[in-house]
Amino acid sequence: MAILRIIGVRHHSPACARLVRHVISQAKPWAVLNEGPSDMNARLDELRLPHTLPIALYSYCLPNLSSAAAATAAPAFAAPSDAVMHAHASWAPFCEYSPEWVALSDGHAAGAQVRFIDLPAWDPAFATVENRYSDHEQQVSQTLRDVALERGFDSTDSLWDHLFETNSSDNAKLETDLADYFDGFRGRVVHATDDDPMAHDRDPVREAYMGQWIAWAMQAAPADATVLVVCGGFHKPALHVIADRIDVAATAPFEPEVPTPPANLARVGSYLVPFSFHRLDSFTGYAAGMPSPGFYQALWQHGAQAGERMMFAAIARLRQRGQRVSTADAIAASQLAQGLSQLRSHTAPTRTDILDGLAGALIKEALRAPPPWSGRGVMSGNTDPYLIEIIHAFTGEARGTLAAGTPRPPLVDDIEQTCRNVGLAWTDKPTTVTVDIYDPTAVQQRQTLYRLLWLEIPGVDLVTRADVRRGKTRSTETWRLVHTDATTATLIERAVYGATLYAAALARITEQMRGADGVATIVAHMERAVRAGYHRLVPSLCTAAEAAIVSEPLFSHTGTALMTLANLHATETALAGGIAPLIRTVMERALWLLEAIDGADAPFDQATVGGIAAIRASLEFELPDFATIAAMCEGVWQRRLVAPSAPPAVRGACLGALWTFQTGVAVGADYTTAARTALTGTPALVLGDFLGGLFALAREAFRDSDLVLVIDERLTALDDEEFLHALPPLRRAFTFFPPAERRALAKRLLNRHAPDQASQATDVLLGTVADPELVATAQRRERSWLAVAAQYHLLSTSEAVS
């Protein structure tokens, strides 16, 4: 009878990878059974091509909803039920020190029967799994975390390094220690039955399937041959239980069948994609293996010298970014790391020894957040900049590439051919593409660009939009194309949506349409569909939007929808009058909601003011039935301006809309007098809110008037207490003015109050506080820092936009 040997590993562990290599070289197994998707067994040759690691096996599945069916179902926009599946994707990454990769490569080199023995990625057991090689169980194990804390470690990662990565020279002891470790956090494992609570978990299902492969190998292997199983350590105890129950004599001499996709899946697929250490690092959000892949790559290649190499790699990175790290600092960091290593009984410095040494020697002030390596996950926004750079150095810069001839999904070839057909040069050198939206010969090129944009392909950016408002003449869009490192991987990953660009972009849009339940969202999907050339979706989307607008409760959403519709009507000639009735309906609902907004003391609300601004902006386009719509808007604005129950910001915004709207019924009307009257009659405590609404729509008109003197008179008449209460909203209101315009307004006031001292006061109050060159340097550095932070997703949405 064959000899079964199961090695439980931690994914992406150099120590485990070395153990697997040692066992294969010593035991010469007949079979190497590897945790991985069994539907790839017929394509293992693809993994043996001369790729540059890291790479990943990308798998996807798409629900059985054809594009036509999705489009037909779109008008209902019902929230998907639990039974409805959306496109799902998962990754199984490999780097040089991944035990699974070593099992594949060394097992093949040794002449073993190499097989993946896990369920395919589209199986329901993986419905919520994004990373097949995740160590989720270790991170959520409270028992394991308690053990780490009891032994003086901040995290289970530090505990793992202490136990295994620096003390792995004795392979026999390592294998025994690993087995004890994984038994400890998995706990008691029994065969799953209907009465067992584990039966409803995905792991027993996967382990039962792996057991079928073990049974086949044990039956097929010659007597006394070794069958080696390499699996996640969490599965090892369960597989031993299953293996003990295998009746080898009763096992059929055939490989287990690879499951076939169920009928509710329209498409499944698996392809190799380039990967990177940045994507592999847990500090950027990846949930598998250990953080700082660059460090563990050095540990795999250089053993005990890894710590010293990574320390000086971090110091070099800091110096490259202009941070002063003296030789004395470097020596201090090295000595501190060595001391910590000895204190912690390590034969060589671990990752945390080096990181603690660098932090202790280089950080001179108190930290605003714990060191990132004291936990797991994305770095805090308060992480010290020094530590951010050090962590990036430990991440490493490795990027994988696929060998020539690696199969790829038809979507990639179709996109490349489509780009050539429409005259788009997509290379590694940035290319600017200018498209005239009214040029009939550029329609296909423009639709291709939008389809790539909606698929969120890196290297496809819309730089400037066309501007066809009244008085504007730019009918061109400017695009930027560049084929980046991430482009190929993303193109392969988007194969989940279809085999052609046309089908993939349509599937992506229709998937996002499901569950849309507000007029702004529905209209946004309409814009995506129209820009990409899917005009056949417009009638059903119009029907859905008309049904949603009847009960739309938020005025701001109607304004957003109206602005989008007005732009579509002006720029998409193929729509003709198809959305004209919807524009009229949305406008009527928006004005009705605006009439109902009350609250004489209500504070400034940006969304409401933005809605009024959107209505005003929509009138700059050639709307259908323009004269009637313009008269409706002016009537509502005039009533709201004088309504005592209207919020001050609404009154101010309506005044701003009237003041700047010169193409409607009241052509040439001068609202300066109305503005003067409103400013004089508005209570001081809400004057700032009123001005906020006014400035949001009529900043330039106010700037060119003498109304700042009216405000000055109002404020001068206030006592100190009243002024202090009125000041915060006033400060917010004047932020609508850029610095140069605020400076000009301040000069006018200085000339009024102290004409004899205006020049000196201007220098004191308005002069620059630093050397201009110093300010410019600081701004350049800030932009550089923000660019790096955005690259690693360390900014909030508002910060990234600003």
Side-chain angles (χ1 to χ4, degrees), residues 36-40 43 46-47 55-60 90-94 116 121 130 132-133 269-275:
S38 57
D39 55 340
M40 280 296 295
R43 299 167 54 192
E46 294 177 26
L47 288 162
I55 61 174
L57 180 59
Y58 168 73
S59 300
Y60 63 81
S90 65
W91 290 262
F94 302 101
F116 280 133
E130 182 178 353
R132 176 183 289 269
Y133 295 142
S270 294
Y271 290 92
L272 293 178
V273 298
F275 223 60

Side-chain angles (χ1 to χ4, degrees), residues 152-169:
F153 296 97
D154 291 333
S155 68
T156 57
D157 292 322
S158 298
L159 175 63
W160 174 272
D161 285 351
H162 172 77
L163 293 175
F164 303 114
E165 293 301 335
T166 60
N167 300 299
S168 58
S169 57

Side-chain angles (χ1 to χ4, degrees), residues 542-765:
C542 282
T543 302
E546 288 171 353
I549 193 63
V550 174
S551 57
E552 177 59 61
L554 298 177
F555 166 70
S556 59
H557 287 186
T558 62
T560 301
L562 188 61
M563 186 62 186
T564 302
L565 288 169
N567 192 286
L568 277 178
H569 185 269
T571 58
E572 300 296 334
T573 55
L575 284 177
I579 61 173
L582 178 60
I583 292 175
R584 177 67 177 265
T585 302
V586 174
M587 177 68 82
E588 291 177 349
R589 179 67 179 181
L591 295 176
W592 183 84
L593 289 171
L594 180 57
E595 292 262 31
I597 299 175
D598 282 331
D601 298 325
F604 180 91
D605 180 66
Q606 181 63 54
T608 300
V609 171
I612 299 173
I615 294 176
R616 167 65 186 82
S618 70
L619 295 177
E620 296 183 8
F621 296 99
E622 294 292 342
L623 294 180
D625 198 11
F626 179 82
T628 302
I629 288 180
M632 291 167 52
C633 291
E634 287 183 321
V636 172
W637 292 337
Q638 288 170 347
R639 290 193 295 274
R640 293 273 77 192
L641 171 60
V642 298
S645 63
V650 169
R651 294 177 55 234
C654 288
L655 171 62
L658 289 165
W659 200 352
T660 56
F661 182 49
Q662 299 295 317
T663 55
V665 176
V667 176
D670 184 3
Y671 279 89
T672 305
T673 302
R676 188 184 307 275
T677 301
L679 289 173
T680 304
T682 300
L685 290 180
V686 296
L687 182 60
D689 293 327
F690 179 89
L691 291 173
L694 175 63
F695 295 162
L697 282 87
R699 186 197 84 244
E700 294 179 353
F702 175 88
R703 178 198 63 197
D704 297 336
S705 72
D706 62 353
L707 293 180
V708 68
L709 304 180
V710 177
I711 298 175
D712 184 47
E713 292 173 358
R714 291 290 315 276
L715 297 180
T716 304
L718 299 178
D719 60 33
D720 290 347
E721 184 176 353
E722 290 175 322
F723 177 76
L724 290 175
H725 279 88
L727 185 58
L730 283 167
R731 289 173 61 89
R732 180 182 60 232
F734 277 92
T735 59
F736 282 98
F737 290 88
E741 293 183 11
R742 290 202 299 270
R743 182 184 179 88
L745 292 173
K747 280 186 176 181
R748 293 175 63 182
L749 294 176
L750 285 171
N751 286 326
R752 182 184 189 197
H753 288 280
D756 297 335
Q757 303 176 12
S759 177
Q760 181 179 0
T762 299
D763 292 339
V764 174
L765 297 178

Side-chain angles (χ1 to χ4, degrees), residues 18 294-318 320 330 333-334 337-338 348-351 354-355 358 390 392-396:
R18 287 195 184 93
F295 174 85
Y296 292 102
Q297 179 68 30
L299 187 62
W300 172 252
Q301 292 179 322
H302 306 292
Q305 303 301 315
E308 181 179 352
R309 287 175 173 269
M310 293 307 299
M311 171 169 288
F312 290 106
I315 292 173
R317 182 183 177 93
L318 289 169
Q320 289 169 1
S334 178
Q338 290 291 341
T350 66
R351 182 180 68 103
I354 301 298
L355 291 171
L358 286 165
I390 291 170
H392 289 167
F394 273 57
T395 295

Side-chain angles (χ1 to χ4, degrees), residues 317-650:
R317 182 183 177 93
L318 289 169
R319 288 173 174 171
Q320 289 169 1
R321 279 151 180 77
Q323 300 299 320
R324 183 175 180 179
V325 182
S326 67
T327 302
D329 287 335
I331 294 173
S334 178
Q335 290 178 340
L336 182 54
Q338 290 291 341
L340 290 171
S341 175
Q342 294 175 14
L343 182 65
R344 295 166 178 172
S345 302
H346 298 154
T347 57
T350 66
R351 182 180 68 103
T352 50
D353 293 336
I354 301 298
L355 291 171
D356 286 341
L358 286 165
L362 303 182
I363 306 300
K364 311 298 184 182
E365 299 177 356
L367 297 177
R368 294 180 297 167
W373 54 90
S374 63
R376 173 67 76 95
V378 179
M379 284 185 287
S380 164
N382 291 324
T383 301
D384 187 280
Y386 262 87
L387 299 186
I388 292 175
E389 292 300 330
I390 291 170
I391 287 297
H392 289 167
F394 273 57
T395 295
E397 301 295 335
R399 293 180 178 274
T401 57
L402 299 179
T406 303
R408 57 186 191 174
L411 174 64
V412 181
D413 295 325
D414 181 79
I415 288 177
E416 291 179 354
Q417 184 61 50
T418 300
C419 288
R420 286 193 293 268
N421 292 344
V422 300
L424 292 175
W426 198 1
T427 67
D428 57 358
K429 295 182 179 180
T431 302
T432 299
V433 180
T434 302
V435 181
D436 190 325
I437 64 173
Y438 296 130
D439 182 0
T441 64
V443 171
Q444 290 185 336
Q445 186 181 76
R446 183 168 179 248
Q447 290 176 353
T448 297
L449 288 166
Y450 271 107
R451 289 168 187 171
L452 294 170
L453 185 68
W454 299 150
L455 282 174
E456 300 177 11
I457 305 299
V460 180
D461 298 298
L462 177 57
V463 180
T464 59
R465 294 178 179 271
D467 191 348
V468 295
R469 294 172 296 170
R470 293 170 180 266
K472 308 295 182 179
T473 58
R474 190 176 72 243
S475 63
T476 57
E477 293 175 339
T478 304
W479 295 77
R480 182 178 182 272
L481 282 180
V482 59
H483 206 284
T484 69
D485 291 339
T487 300
T488 299
T490 306
L491 287 174
I492 295 173
E493 291 168 8
R494 292 297 181 264
V496 62
Y497 291 105
T500 65
L501 177 59
Y502 179 91
L506 178 59
R508 175 82 164 179
I509 291 172
T510 53
E511 178 187 73
Q512 294 173 341
M513 282 162 45
R514 296 174 201 150
D517 57 357
V519 66
T521 304
I522 295 171
V523 170
H525 290 316
M526 182 186 298
E527 180 187 26
R528 295 167 72 88
V530 171
R531 303 290 193 208
Y534 306 121
H535 293 83
R536 63 186 178 84
L537 298 179
V538 172
S540 60
L541 287 164
C542 282
T543 302
E546 288 171 353
I549 193 63
V550 174
S551 57
E552 177 59 61
L554 298 177
F555 166 70
S556 59
H557 287 186
T558 62
T560 301
L562 188 61
M563 186 62 186
T564 302
L565 288 169
N567 192 286
L568 277 178
H569 185 269
T571 58
E572 300 296 334
T573 55
L575 284 177
I579 61 173
L582 178 60
I583 292 175
R584 177 67 177 265
T585 302
V586 174
M587 177 68 82
E588 291 177 349
R589 179 67 179 181
L591 295 176
W592 183 84
L593 289 171
L594 180 57
E595 292 262 31
I597 299 175
D598 282 331
D601 298 325
F604 180 91
D605 180 66
Q606 181 63 54
T608 300
V609 171
I612 299 173
I615 294 176
R616 167 65 186 82
S618 70
L619 295 177
E620 296 183 8
F621 296 99
E622 294 292 342
L623 294 180
D625 198 11
F626 179 82
T628 302
I629 288 180
M632 291 167 52
C633 291
E634 287 183 321
V636 172
W637 292 337
Q638 288 170 347
R639 290 193 295 274
R640 293 273 77 192
L641 171 60
V642 298
S645 63
V650 169

